[in-house]
Amino acid sequence: MEAMAIVTDEKKSGLEFPFPNTYTFDLFGGVDLLVEILMRPSLFPQKKKHKISDELIKDCLSILYNTCICTEGVTKRLAERNDFVLFLFTLMTNKKTFLQTATLIEDILGVKKEMIQLEDIANLGSLVSSFDQQQLANFCRILSVTISELDTGNDDKYTLLAKDAQQKKTQSPSRAEINQATLLNIPGFIERLCKLATRKVSESTGTAIIFQELEEWYTWLDNALVLDALMRVAHEETEQSGTESSDEGSLANPSSRTQLTQSMKIMHEIMYKVEVLYVLCVLLMGRQRNQVHKMIAEFKLIPGLNNLFDKLIWRKHSASALVLHGHNQNCDCSPDISLKIQFLRLLQSFSDHHENLVCDGKKGLLTRLLQVMKKEPAESSFRFWQARAVESFLRGVTSYADQMFLLKRGLLEHILYCIVDSECKSRDVLQSYFDLLGELMKFNIDAFKKFNKYINTDEKFQVFLNQINSSLVDSNMLVRCIALSLDRFESQSDDIKVAEVLSECRLLSYMTQGSVRMSFLFRLINIIHVQTLTQENVSCLNTSLVILMLARRKSRLPCYLQTIRDMECMEKYPGFILNNFHNLLRFWQQHYLNKDKDSSCLENSSCINFSYWKETVSVLLNADRTSPCAIVSYIDEAYMDVDKEFLED
């Protein structure tokens, strides 16, 4: 009853011991006793084995879980007993106690300080292969805790300086990485996940088994969603019967009940797919990403998801769509929303720097995604994920054919409408749109022509510039794209089409102005410092380098450095920007010239050989004060501050 109060939000606040029964039970050793009862057969093997009944195991697990959620500290105490945690996995072989065991393990692992190692679980391979598809999907909830890196703060906000220092300290793979490798070594594991992710609702569990499982969860109080679902069943059946007897009501209106059953099946399948897609997504971003990518391509995950797109992943909401207790349909916690986000994350990870597979049928996944992207409401949280997924399809070596595929389907006009006409305010969405626009337009003369056709007034162009200038951290990838494209187009000016666009396009004309390029360069260097560099803003450093590499190609590097010096003096901060840039470039060498660092993304995104990146940085960092291309030549001796050690704040 005390555990039920938590799920139904009926707990009494303000009391010193709001749950006296569970508190007292634990106080007098009840929890330890239950652990001993469960583990006794394995701790004290006897000649004649005393098998504990399934019902007793279920009761022990149920009381343990209820005590965990009601009494502070119990879960942490259980988590400290590694022998008990590993023992719990052995109970998962029994189908009758599987759900209770899985839920307790998930709760315990959520608070465990040290991640368990999957290879320590006895007979893990045979355990996993013994699971049916439903059990495997539930097991993915547990796996997600064991293969995800422990939270060290938001990854994008975690400084590169701190990350690099951490990498030096721990050269060996993390526990999460070891666990990922352990899973990949289980025969048929990825294939089963792909089948589970792509199966249709009609292929899933029979209704009777669903209801049996839901009732198990209801008793177990694992998930408020299930409580809601069962409440809805009871409520709708009552409404159906009206003044008639329940039997007559069911016969009189069978369609409502059938619809509800189907709704339950869909909800059940969605919950499973969320867990499975999450695990696949984590594996796709791990050390063995290339191996995982090859495997899920082989098992046709993407074409399979394409077949589910309209009817399940991006299905239209029904009025009675099931949502989490205390939430609404549009809440990020609802299964429908979670499935969409996991699907888009997986698509982004799969497409990123990899070749893409062609889907079956008339519409591929990208076409379907573009269609829903255009219909998405302005305030939708999906806009960010949709843009990221499409951008990952383009990222890497620039493909004119891929760009034209998207341009012909009106993507550029849609992005510009969102940036300019709807004047999007969300920083995350704006950044994802700017990044996508950069990949879509890079080196593509047709894209710049279309841009000029849409941004056809000075007022519209000014709104666009205001959006770019409002946050260079968000828009710098687009600035990089414009600079690179302009440089290439200028070398192709003999082509009549290129020459025409060069003379007419507002955006290209704007970037040809030396004062504009210098303004971007000055601000890009000024908004970042070694101590504040993150995965999110390091692109500002690389964009500033691109601008200087293009200048170096034209023998204009000294001119640019002199202009920065002049701008410093105008701002009355002599040496401030150049000292900062010198330190940033020293860090760049330390970070990107690491033997484990993959530099191909810098090369692919700019079409500038990485050797030229390294060479330009070396030239800029030259200690010879007589060199016209060395930063130190433009800092007065009195303001020189370039040899500081990099210390974390």
Side-chain angles (χ1 to χ4, degrees):
M1 293 304 293
E2 287 180 352
M4 176 70 84
I6 285 184
V7 177
T8 55
D9 296 327
E10 291 172 8
K11 60 181 179 182
K12 295 170 184 174
S13 55
L15 299 175
E16 188 179 357
F17 301 112
F19 307 111
N21 292 327
T22 45
Y23 174 78
T24 308
F25 177 74
D26 177 46
L27 185 67
F28 285 91
V31 168
D32 296 332
L33 186 58
L34 288 178
V35 170
E36 190 184 326
I37 290 170
L38 286 169
M39 293 187 72
R40 182 171 283 273
S42 61
L43 291 175
F44 307 106
Q46 297 165 358
K47 287 178 185 176
K48 188 181 176 184
K49 285 224 171 180
H50 295 286
K51 192 175 182 298
I52 302 178
S53 74
D54 293 340
E55 290 308 312
L56 178 56
I57 292 174
K58 282 165 82 169
D59 285 345
C60 288
L61 291 169
S62 186
I63 298 166
L64 273 179
Y65 180 73
N66 289 349
T67 310
C68 281
I69 63 174
C70 292
T71 304
E72 200 177 343
V74 173
T75 318
K76 282 184 180 174
R77 278 202 341 262
L78 292 176
E80 285 164 8
R81 287 201 55 175
N82 216 44
D83 59 337
F84 178 62
V85 177
L86 293 173
F87 164 77
L88 283 175
F89 282 92
T90 65
L91 297 181
M92 297 183 90
T93 54
N94 186 341
K95 199 161 187 174
K96 291 179 181 175
T97 60
F98 175 87
L99 271 172
Q100 282 83 355
T101 311
T103 315
L104 184 58
I105 291 173
E106 186 188 351
D107 208 50
I108 289 172
L109 293 186
V111 300
K112 193 166 172 60
K113 283 182 183 176
E114 271 203 343
M115 191 179 287
I116 66 157
Q117 292 205 250
L118 292 176
E119 60 188 9
D120 291 342
I121 299 168
N123 306 314
L124 178 66
S126 56
L127 174 69
V128 172
S129 59
S130 73
F131 293 154
D132 60 29
Q133 290 294 72
Q134 272 64 34
Q135 289 174 313
L136 182 61
N138 278 305
F139 190 58
C140 282
R141 289 169 65 107
I142 292 167
L143 292 181
S144 64
V145 183
T146 66
I147 61 175
S148 305
E149 294 293 350
L150 293 170
D151 187 22
T152 46
N154 185 314
D155 196 50
D156 280 349
K157 305 293 185 283
Y158 201 45
T159 69
L160 293 181
L161 198 60
K163 280 183 178 178
D164 287 358
Q166 187 64 31
Q167 264 184 334
K168 281 181 186 174
K169 284 179 194 170
T170 54
Q171 294 291 335
S172 55
S174 66
R175 287 199 165 194
E177 289 169 334
I178 293 168
N179 286 341
Q180 290 171 22
T182 302
L183 287 180
L184 291 175
N185 287 330
I186 298 174
F189 177 71
I190 297 294
E191 184 177 9
R192 288 188 70 191
L193 288 193
C194 289
K195 281 181 179 174
L196 193 49
T198 57
R199 76 174 179 184
K200 296 172 183 173
V201 177
S202 57
E203 298 167 358
S204 63
T205 318
T207 311
I209 297 174
I210 290 177
F211 275 95
Q212 179 190 340
E213 196 169 295
L214 286 171
E215 282 170 17
E216 292 268 16
W217 276 351
Y218 173 70
T219 311
W220 188 234
L221 302 176
D222 159 44
N223 195 322
L225 170 66
V226 179
L227 180 65
D228 253 15
L230 290 178
M231 294 289 193
R232 189 76 57 84
V233 173
H235 176 66
E236 294 204 10
E237 284 194 351
T238 307
E239 279 190 346
Q240 268 181 42
S241 57
T243 54
E244 303 166 310
S245 70
S246 58
D247 285 346
E248 288 170 340
S250 300
L251 290 168
N253 188 7
S255 62
S256 174
R257 187 165 187 170
T258 308
Q259 186 184 354
L260 180 69
T261 304
Q262 183 64 8
S263 183
M264 296 282 281
K265 283 182 78 172
I266 289 171
M267 178 270 296
H268 197 247
E269 194 63 22
I270 283 173
M271 288 170 67
Y272 281 164
K273 288 190 187 327
V274 168
E275 307 302 340
V276 173
L277 291 181
Y278 179 82
V279 169
L280 286 171
C281 198
V282 172
L283 293 173
L284 265 175
M285 295 188 288
R287 279 199 181 199
Q288 288 88 8
R289 62 175 73 91
N290 291 333
Q291 180 192 350
V292 177
H293 187 276
K294 191 177 175 184
M295 291 168 84
I296 67 175
E298 181 190 340
F299 301 129
K300 295 186 168 27
L301 176 70
I302 299 302
L305 291 175
N306 182 46
N307 294 333
L308 293 175
F309 190 87
D310 292 332
K311 290 185 178 174
L312 189 71
I313 298 171
W314 230 274
R315 69 196 178 100
K316 289 176 182 172
H317 288 293
S318 61
S320 62
L322 294 159
V323 294
L324 284 170
H325 180 73
H327 297 267
N328 62 52
Q329 261 181 8
N330 299 317
C331 171
D332 282 358
C333 307
S334 80
D336 271 314
I337 304 282
S338 296
L339 179 64
K340 288 179 173 71
I341 290 174
Q342 286 306 333
F343 162 75
L344 291 170
R345 285 186 66 198
L346 181 112
L347 196 57
Q348 179 190 352
S349 304
F350 181 81
S351 302
D352 198 11
H353 301 296
H354 286 102
E355 291 179 5
N356 293 275
L357 291 181
V358 177
C359 295
D360 305 321
K362 291 179 182 177
K363 289 182 187 174
L365 207 44
L366 198 58
T367 302
R368 293 182 196 275
L369 187 54
L370 287 179
Q371 287 175 339
V372 297
M373 192 175 178
K374 289 179 185 177
K375 294 174 187 172
E376 210 60 51
E379 68 286 352
S380 169
S381 59
F382 292 133
R383 283 185 162 206
F384 169 81
W385 292 108
Q386 288 166 340
R388 279 279 176 260
V390 178
E391 185 223 337
S392 67
F393 169 77
L394 289 170
R395 204 181 299 154
V397 178
T398 304
S399 164
Y400 178 77
D402 288 347
Q403 289 173 326
M404 292 311 295
F405 176 85
L406 297 169
L407 286 169
K408 284 176 181 175
R409 284 156 179 78
L411 180 59
L412 185 132
E413 289 83 358
H414 170 71
I415 297 170
L416 292 176
Y417 170 80
C418 295
I419 294 173
V420 176
D421 297 312
S422 70
E423 293 194 51
C424 175
K425 296 290 189 288
S426 164
R427 295 255 55 96
D428 286 341
V429 173
L430 261 181
Q431 183 179 14
S432 65
Y433 279 164
F434 281 132
D435 289 353
L436 176 53
L437 194 59
E439 291 295 337
L440 188 61
M441 295 179 69
K442 194 191 301 171
F443 306 131
N444 192 312
I445 199 71
D446 298 290
F448 280 89
K449 193 171 183 177
K450 277 179 176 285
F451 176 93
N452 211 46
K453 190 177 177 182
Y454 190 91
I455 306 293
N456 53 8
T457 66
D458 290 341
E459 290 76 22
K460 273 189 170 183
F461 188 58
Q462 195 53 54
V463 172
F464 183 75
L465 290 182
N466 290 344
Q467 290 281 49
I468 285 181
N469 289 315
S470 64
S471 176
L472 267 184
V473 170
D474 299 327
S475 63
N476 82 87
M477 293 298 285
L478 178 61
V479 171
R480 189 190 306 184
C481 146
I482 302 164
L484 285 164
S485 301
L486 175 63
D487 183 73
R488 179 172 293 188
F489 296 155
E490 284 176 338
S491 69
Q492 301 169 342
S493 55
D494 292 343
D495 185 308
I496 297 171
K497 183 181 175 182
V498 173
E500 184 188 330
V501 176
L502 268 174
S503 64
E504 292 177 359
C505 181
R506 284 179 170 84
L507 192 55
L508 292 172
S509 300
Y510 180 72
M511 191 58 89
T512 56
Q513 300 171 49
S515 60
V516 169
R517 289 198 299 276
M518 287 310 308
S519 171
F520 277 132
L521 181 61
F522 190 85
R523 284 182 293 149
L524 283 166
I525 299 170
N526 198 22
I527 55 180
I528 47 174
H529 306 278
V530 171
Q531 280 75 15
T532 60
L533 274 181
T534 64
Q535 203 64 48
E536 185 184 1
N537 63 24
V538 71
S539 56
C540 293
L541 174 55
N542 290 321
T543 298
S544 63
L545 253 178
V546 165
I547 293 171
L548 289 173
M549 283 190 289
L550 297 178
R552 183 175 169 232
R553 276 181 179 173
K554 296 177 180 176
S555 304
R556 292 185 55 78
L557 194 52
C559 175
Y560 274 59
L561 293 172
Q562 181 59 50
T563 306
I564 293 176
R565 176 191 164 97
D566 295 343
M567 291 170 83
E568 281 181 334
C569 293
M570 281 172 62
E571 297 279 339
K572 297 191 169 41
Y573 282 112
F576 177 72
I577 298 295
L578 289 171
N579 274 310
N580 183 43
F581 192 44
H582 193 281
N583 286 326
L584 285 165
L585 292 181
R586 282 174 55 223
F587 175 79
W588 188 95
Q589 282 185 327
Q590 183 181 302
H591 182 71
Y592 282 104
L593 303 188
N594 183 317
K595 61 179 169 47
D596 295 329
K597 196 72 186 170
D598 180 14
S599 56
S600 61
C601 55
L602 288 180
E603 198 169 277
N604 291 339
S605 69
S606 63
C607 285
I608 298 173
N609 196 293
F610 189 62
S611 61
Y612 195 75
W613 285 76
K614 292 191 289 185
E615 199 180 292
T616 304
V617 172
S618 296
V619 165
L620 287 164
L621 291 180
N622 191 339
D624 181 4
R625 289 178 61 81
T626 63
S627 167
C629 293
I631 291 174
V632 291
S633 302
Y634 298 87
I635 308 173
D636 290 343
E637 200 86 52
Y639 303 113
M640 189 79 74
D641 187 19
V642 295
D643 295 317
K644 286 192 295 190
E645 285 296 313
F646 300 139
L647 299 171
E648 292 176 54
D649 282 348

